[in-house]
Amino acid sequence: MSVAESFNPGGINLSARAVEKVRDLVAEEETPALKLRVYITGGGCSGFQYGFSFEETAAEDDTVIERDGVAVLVDPMSFQYLVGSEVDYTEGLEGSRFVIQNPNATTTCGCGASFSI
């Protein structure tokens, strides 16, 4: 693992709601090694879109962000687009989901799932 950060404004932050939800999902799966992976892919209505998955193992070049016992994995390509962002969790009319508050995005789609730089 290349970098371990903890609530670093120059990196990627995790909101308290995101930490709580990841902790709940890991407990529900009864697999303490699970980590939330946050990644960027091409596509979506604005050019790039956010993705989320759970994995047990970090890749050698992943950045690992830890807060309050919860780990988030980010690959190097995605990290460059997410620097300064916050991973949050929201529940609302559009459903329950992880969201990214990304200061690097110049435009976002209406649902916040895709962006452009």
Side-chain angles (χ1 to χ4, degrees), residues 63-87:
T63 297
V64 179
I65 298 106
E66 296 179 329
R67 179 176 176 193
D68 300 331
V70 165
V72 172
L73 307 174
V74 184
D75 65 87
M77 191 283 296
S78 299
F79 187 83
Q80 64 185 331
Y81 295 110
L82 294 169
V83 170
S85 296
E86 180 179 63
V87 178

Side-chain angles (χ1 to χ4, degrees), residues 45-48 50 102 104-110 114-117:
C45 27
S46 296
F48 294 104
Y50 301 112
N102 188 344
N104 304 305
T106 56
T107 58
T108 59
C109 68
S114 68
F115 69 101
S116 65
I117 301 273

Side-chain angles (χ1 to χ4, degrees), residues 40-59:
I40 304 292
T41 59
C45 27
S46 296
F48 294 104
Q49 60 188 3
Y50 301 112
F52 304 92
S53 63
F54 279 92
E55 296 182 13
E56 289 187 54
T57 312

